[in-house]
Amino acid sequence: GENVGLHLPTLSVQEGDNSIINCAYSNSASDYFIWYKQESGKGPQFIIDIRSNMDKRQGQRVTVLLNKTVKHLSLQIAATQPGDSAVYFCAERKEGYSTLTFGKGTMLLVSP
Amino acid sequence: EAQVTQNPRYLITVTGKKLTVTCSQNMNHEYMSWYRQDPGLGLRQIYYSMNVEVTDKGDVPEGYKVSRKEKRNFPLILESPSPNQTSLYFCASSSNSVPKNIQYFGAGTRLSVL
């Protein structure tokens, strides 16, 4: 939505830079994690996921890193483009459940 | 095309006037969920459904009702809307299969209660 980005931490980068968006999750019993992208006026869209038995997973221009020791998740976007400007959410799923718990989100602003 | 469809996209109503927001998915997903999104609070789950005729409260269920009579539909009902229910609402669906159950979201319904 138009005002989703209010009150959110913001990361501002130049086009072509690499971006790193961080997320701390809360539940050590979480076994599955997802990153979503939400553009203005749209619903969250799936970007990439990772299971808890993995440390790293790569997609097209995106990489997710999982550090279970400190309960930290990061999303790396290579060669960031203006079209990457959006709010990014991490979500965690507790083992054995279908329900996801979402982080508050980070706004990524990419300048040409 | 696989999608989650919400209607209406925008709605302005008055306090106390019952309304329903519809949600339909064409992916044969078992799991469906409603969220509200407010600035600074992120996505909060209202209700969810693991399958037909099975619904459960999420984190913020007060003032809302849902039903799941068919697998594809999961309407959200506000029996007596109040101004604090002004928000952006999202419906989502996923399969119940483990270990991966990516939730797919609708485009959202922006509700204003006057």
Side-chain angles (χ1 to χ4, degrees):
Chain A
E2 299 83 72
N3 60 351
V4 166
L6 290 178
H7 312 299
L8 290 179
T10 300
L11 175 64
S12 297
V13 301
Q14 293 287 120
E15 182 177 2
D17 288 351
N18 295 332
S19 301
I20 300 176
I21 300 171
N22 296 305
C23 177
Y25 64 93
S26 57
N27 195 331
S28 57
S30 294
D31 68 341
Y32 177 63
F33 305 87
I34 305 178
W35 278 100
Y36 284 91
K37 172 185 180 183
Q38 186 177 19
E39 297 174 278
S40 182
K42 297 184 178 179
Q45 295 174 278
F46 168 81
I47 303 173
I48 191 167
D49 59 354
I50 187 168
R51 294 172 58 186
S52 59
N53 61 355
M54 303 171 70
D55 297 321
K56 179 180 179 178
R57 189 153 188 249
Q58 287 184 289
Q60 188 177 14
R61 277 202 310 120
V62 293
T63 300
V64 55
L65 298 177
L66 176 62
N67 185 331
K68 294 181 287 294
T69 303
V70 295
K71 292 190 284 188
H72 184 266
L73 197 65
S74 68
L75 177 71
Q76 300 177 359
I77 305 174
T80 315
Q81 303 166 0
D84 294 326
S85 293
V87 175
Y88 290 81
F89 295 95
C90 66
E92 59 181 302
R93 186 192 69 187
K94 186 178 174 184
E95 186 176 5
Y97 291 78
S98 293
T99 298
L100 296 176
T101 301
F102 290 84
K104 297 281 192 290
T106 296
M107 173 168 277
L108 176 65
L109 295 174
V110 184
S111 310
Chain B
E1 182 190 351
Q3 59 186 0
V4 178
T5 303
Q6 296 177 227
N7 280 297
R9 292 290 316 278
Y10 301 92
L11 180 59
I12 301 174
T13 190
V14 294
T15 299
K17 186 175 181 182
K18 180 180 178 179
L19 66 91
T20 299
V21 184
T22 64
C23 175
S24 179
Q25 51 93 5
N26 62 0
M27 294 170 278
N28 201 36
H29 283 162
E30 298 87 6
Y31 182 92
M32 296 186 75
S33 181
W34 277 102
Y35 298 89
R36 60 178 289 173
Q37 187 175 43
D38 302 289
L41 297 177
L43 283 161
R44 294 182 293 167
Q45 190 175 49
I46 303 170
Y47 268 95
Y48 65 97
S49 169
M50 296 291 288
N51 215 322
V52 177
E53 301 290 2
V54 180
T55 62
D56 280 294
K57 294 178 181 179
D59 299 318
V60 288
E62 294 78 21
Y64 304 95
K65 283 176 58 178
V66 292
S67 69
R68 189 86 182 277
K69 294 186 173 62
E70 307 163 281
K71 198 172 188 180
R72 63 182 292 126
N73 295 324
F74 190 45
L76 179 69
I77 303 154
L78 284 71
E79 294 270 5
S80 182
S82 63
N84 65 10
Q85 292 178 299
T86 293
S87 187
L88 180 58
Y89 291 86
F90 289 103
C91 179
S93 73
S94 72
S95 73
N96 276 340
S97 65
V98 292
K100 294 171 64 113
N101 55 351
I102 299 164
Q103 287 191 23
Y104 296 93
F105 284 79
T109 296
R110 183 164 291 282
L111 172 66
S112 295
V113 184
L114 306 177

